[in-house]
Amino acid sequence: MVKSRPAVDPEKKARILDCAMHQFAHHGYRDTKTDAIAVDANVSKGLIFNYFGSKANLYLETVKTTYDKIINIADLSVWQDSPDLKTMVQRALRYKISLQLQYPDEFALSMQAYAEAGYLPESLRPKVQAIWTTMSAAEVPDMVSPILKRLPLREGVSADTVAKLLLVMTNLIGEQSKEMIRQNADIKIEAFDPVIAQVLDYIDILEHGFLAPNAD
Amino acid sequence: MVKSRPAVDPEKKARILDCAMHQFAHHGYRDTKTDAIAVDANVSKGLIFNYFGSKANLYLETVKTTYDKIINIADLSVWQDSPDLKTMVQRALRYKISLQLQYPDEFALSMQAYAEAGYLPESLRPKVQAIWTTMSAAEVPDMVSPILKRLPLREGVSADTVAKLLLVMTNLIGEQSKEMIRQNADIKIEAFDPVIAQVLDYIDILEHGFLAPNAD
Amino acid sequence: MVKSRPAVDPEKKARILDCAMHQFAHHGYRDTKTDAIAVDANVSKGLIFNYFGSKANLYLETVKTTYDKIINIADLSVWQDSPDLKTMVQRALRYKISLQLQYPDEFALSMQAYAEAGYLPESLRPKVQAIWTTMSAAEVPDMVSPILKRLPLREGVSADTVAKLLLVMTNLIGEQSKEMIRQNADIKIEAFDPVIAQVLDYIDILEHGFLAPNAD
Amino acid sequence: MVKSRPAVDPEKKARILDCAMHQFAHHGYRDTKTDAIAVDANVSKGLIFNYFGSKANLYLETVKTTYDKIINIADLSVWQDSPDLKTMVQRALRYKISLQLQYPDEFALSMQAYAEAGYLPESLRPKVQAIWTTMSAAEVPDMVSPILKRLPLREGVSADTVAKLLLVMTNLIGEQSKEMIRQNADIKIEAFDPVIAQVLDYIDILEHGFLAPNAD
DNA sequence: AATGAATGAGGGTTCATTCAT
DNA sequence: CATGAATGAACCCTCATTCAT
């Protein structure tokens, strides 16, 4: 006998995850009601528990799925062959922001989940943090370090340190963009130009330092 | 005439605030139960409402009190007269971390309150944000800018940009220390040496840039 | 397609309303515990809030439903075609009392709700009063005035004044019956004969007062 | 040794009773907070319990005291020697209303207590009702019946029936005046003229009903 | 005697989870 | 498998009453 309908309807499951992502991103874990997700997903509340067992587990699955989605979407090659660092950063940021505009919920959740990790129910916290540790190693460093290797570093400066600094900048922009998108969902990418300009100022300092050349 | 029993027993009030600080810092607003605070403070639940009226107000009072406490404790002069930027940053970080070790709950709450501001009940949010705006002007900027003014900045670099970068570093350390303290409450200040060393690496880059001198 | 389990189980809803009516009638709004209603109705406390949202709203619904019920039950034609006033009053009272015996809770609530209107929580009061104004116009006046029109009134006596006097009598009996039923739930209708007799005495006085001298 | 201060300070006790009267009259038993009484009476909350044992008992004492006060104040002779019934009723009502204006709280409580008797806590109810039965016999009938005795009643009409009818009128006015005073505390006695006029209309009807045919 | 700070039982309400259909 | 009505534990808050001073 052929099961014409699989035990788990993937379409419904996807819908639940999508709506959960939206809700968790905008209200945080504790303020998200399973009721709201069920309504949004046009699915019975019971089904959510059939598929995911508990709200906590739904959260975990949602965060995981969202991270996977972002990773799969991101095309790191976009800025890999930039002529110089500033161009790379500029391209990277533009690309990231464009993704953020295209997938605001995904990005919002990824940041929200990270931010609220410490304030989750005791039992949920370690499981979420496990996701970070699994994910983190693979991603961002890969994007930046190849470019850095092509740059002549001042003696005593490690590529790793620079990479971390750049990462900090990236996160900074992420936070700012999220907030800007939150305040105006229809924002255009041009609106982020001043933000990018500021980061380029930061990069300039990183590149050349802020001390006058003869100050040493 | 001595009031043998003052209208508000300052000792109990302080105990409540202290325990509230601890609870709010570690579980966030929504997950903190007034019951737990009452038990911790060895006080009846009713008394909390006698003193503070509501959980929301207790939160507000706790945050305010904690901020005041930190501000009063902090001795900004410690690093004000440092010979150079690195020394200043080093002293500042050491001092901040030592305070954080001494007053882990106070610092944890101050960061928690800031972080969770967006996830508070609708009605509480504006009141908490009012606290930030009242407080923010006075503090951190004042510490950094005077030192920056004494430094010869490279042409095209604004002191403001540098100050912002340094502030980002400061927050970074704050987050890291909080997490380290959270994971090990008995951590010694020496344990932060690598963190401080790393920040000094960052500062070095900010100061001199990471490009080799002849790279331009 | 038959909904095997309707969104709102009318049986349970009716049971809740019925028990609420009983409780509100006997203990008043403030002293009625939702717990007690839930237990009486053999239903979880949560369900009451699912169906009615709040205790205040349950009260409103209960009062409305009870009024509708009384209005639908009451058969005003019973005494409309009485030969004379006394007969009409007698029939009306008997009928009213028999209904009161048959539906003691309904009548008790309707009087209770009216009486306690002024002592309800501030926010509930206007909503209850809105029910009165909606209901009041339709009922009692219609019953009495047609009969009055057929009677020859003494000069200088307005039908309106007489109607008001009769209304006062009616309310008087209502109060007395309620109290008698409250004191003895198994009371028989014969027990009210003295009360009715007394009212007829009152009517006799009224009648020979407002009738024209030659009307006898 | 002489007790310079008696165990119960009569002045404070009187103050408590007075404020309790005011509060109970305006908010009913359940909505009156002992706190409010204590504050009003400028007395500690503890003292109320020292003097009266419980809120319930304070209520009882307040009601009793208020009734005594009204009885002592009322000068029944005012209308005893009226030439006719209408004049008597008019005088009586005017006098009652003037008292009600002079002692609004006392009258408000006496009516409130009567009205809310059924909605008091189970345990309090019988004790309050005991007060009515003690009081009721003595009062109002005494005012009316002597006058009635001087009037030639139509055959078949008992003075008792008429007295009860008049009592109903009196209560009717009481309710109306209370409400009018509640809506406008500064109301003048002239404002009640229409109300009195209406009652006189009622009396007119009553009168021509119970007087012997040849009494006109 | 007088105080009023402290208590805590009890109420209305929310919402994740269950389970009969 | 899917539903959503039903559940009930848990939370915040009130206020009569107590009791140490």
Side-chain angles (χ1 to χ4, degrees), chain A residues 113-133:
Chain A
Y114 189 82
E116 76 174 346
Y119 320 116
L120 259 20
E122 214 88 12
S123 58
L124 189 52
R125 222 173 296 166
K127 294 174 185 169
V128 172
Q129 278 163 347
I131 299 180
W132 308 140
T133 50

Side-chain angles (χ1 to χ4, degrees), chain A residues 23-33 112 116 178-179 182-183, chain B residues 29-30 54-57 59-60 63-64 112-134:
Chain A
Q23 292 281 343
F24 285 134
H26 291 311
H27 306 109
Y29 177 74
R30 312 199 99 103
D31 259 2
T32 294
K33 323 290 180 204
Q112 163 75 276
E116 76 174 346
K178 188 190 81 171
E179 188 56 22
R182 202 182 63 74
Q183 283 178 16
Chain B
Y29 177 74
R30 311 192 96 106
S54 72
K55 183 186 171 183
N57 201 59
Y59 182 76
L60 250 23
V63 172
K64 271 186 213 153
Q112 161 76 278
Y114 190 82
E116 77 172 346
Y119 316 115
L120 257 22
E122 211 88 8
S123 59
L124 191 51
R125 221 172 296 166
K127 294 173 185 170
V128 172
Q129 277 162 348
I131 300 180
W132 305 142
T133 50
T134 309

Side-chain angles (χ1 to χ4, degrees), chain D residues 7-18:
Chain D
V8 171
D9 182 333
E11 199 181 320
K12 282 179 187 168
K13 185 164 186 176
R15 232 158 55 216
I16 293 171
L17 282 169
D18 205 56

Side-chain angles (χ1 to χ4, degrees), chain A residues 74-113:
Chain A
D75 176 9
L76 306 186
S77 71
V78 168
W79 65 80
Q80 293 277 13
D81 53 352
S82 303
D84 56 44
L85 186 62
K86 278 185 185 163
T87 308
M88 187 200 82
V89 167
Q90 198 169 351
R91 287 184 186 168
L93 288 183
R94 268 190 208 288
Y95 181 65
K96 189 178 179 187
I97 291 171
S98 75
L99 284 181
Q100 211 164 349
L101 279 170
Q102 232 183 320
Y103 304 97
D105 288 349
E106 282 77 0
F107 274 72
L109 176 62
S110 74
M111 303 178 71
Q112 163 75 276

Side-chain angles (χ1 to χ4, degrees), chain D residues 46-140:
Chain D
L47 199 63
I48 294 178
F49 285 85
N50 282 354
Y51 282 3
F52 299 94
S54 70
K55 183 186 170 183
N57 200 61
L58 171 60
Y59 183 76
L60 251 24
E61 296 282 330
T62 305
V63 172
K64 271 185 213 154
T65 306
T66 302
Y67 267 82
D68 283 347
K69 196 173 170 188
I70 290 178
I71 290 171
N72 286 332
I73 286 167
D75 176 9
L76 306 187
S77 70
V78 169
W79 64 82
Q80 294 275 11
D81 53 353
S82 303
D84 56 44
L85 186 62
K86 277 186 187 163
T87 309
M88 186 200 82
V89 168
Q90 199 168 352
R91 287 185 185 167
L93 287 183
R94 270 190 208 287
Y95 180 64
K96 189 178 178 188
I97 292 172
S98 76
L99 284 182
Q100 211 165 349
L101 280 169
Q102 232 183 322
Y103 303 97
D105 288 349
E106 280 77 359
F107 275 72
L109 177 64
S110 76
M111 303 177 70
Q112 163 75 276
Y114 189 81
E116 76 173 347
Y119 319 116
L120 258 21
E122 214 86 11
S123 58
L124 189 51
R125 223 172 296 166
K127 295 174 185 168
V128 172
Q129 278 164 346
I131 300 180
W132 307 141
T133 50
T134 310
M135 298 285 175
S136 63
E139 268 179 289
V140 181

Side-chain angles (χ1 to χ4, degrees), chain C residues 32-156:
Chain C
T32 294
K33 327 290 180 201
T34 54
D35 259 316
I37 297 173
V39 169
D40 278 16
N42 195 31
V43 142
S44 77
K45 191 160 44 153
L47 196 64
I48 295 178
F49 287 87
N50 281 356
Y51 282 4
F52 299 96
S54 71
K55 183 186 174 184
N57 200 60
L58 171 60
Y59 182 76
L60 251 23
E61 295 282 327
T62 305
V63 172
K64 270 186 215 155
T65 305
T66 302
Y67 267 84
D68 283 348
K69 198 173 170 185
I70 291 179
I71 290 173
N72 285 331
I73 286 168
D75 176 10
L76 306 188
S77 71
V78 168
W79 64 82
Q80 292 278 13
D81 53 352
S82 304
D84 57 45
L85 188 63
K86 276 188 186 162
T87 310
M88 186 199 83
V89 167
Q90 196 168 352
R91 287 185 186 168
L93 288 182
R94 268 192 207 287
Y95 181 64
K96 189 178 178 187
I97 291 172
S98 75
L99 284 182
Q100 212 165 350
L101 279 169
Q102 232 182 318
Y103 305 97
D105 288 348
E106 280 78 359
F107 275 73
L109 177 63
S110 75
M111 302 178 72
Q112 162 75 281
Y114 190 83
E116 78 174 344
Y119 317 114
L120 256 22
E122 210 86 12
S123 58
L124 191 49
R125 223 172 295 167
K127 294 173 184 170
V128 172
Q129 278 162 346
I131 300 180
W132 307 142
T133 50
T134 309
M135 299 281 174
S136 62
E139 273 176 286
V140 180
D142 288 349
M143 315 197 258
V144 180
S145 45
I147 283 76
L148 277 179
K149 280 183 187 141
R150 301 204 312 256
L151 295 172
L153 297 188
R154 179 162 63 80
E155 209 169 334

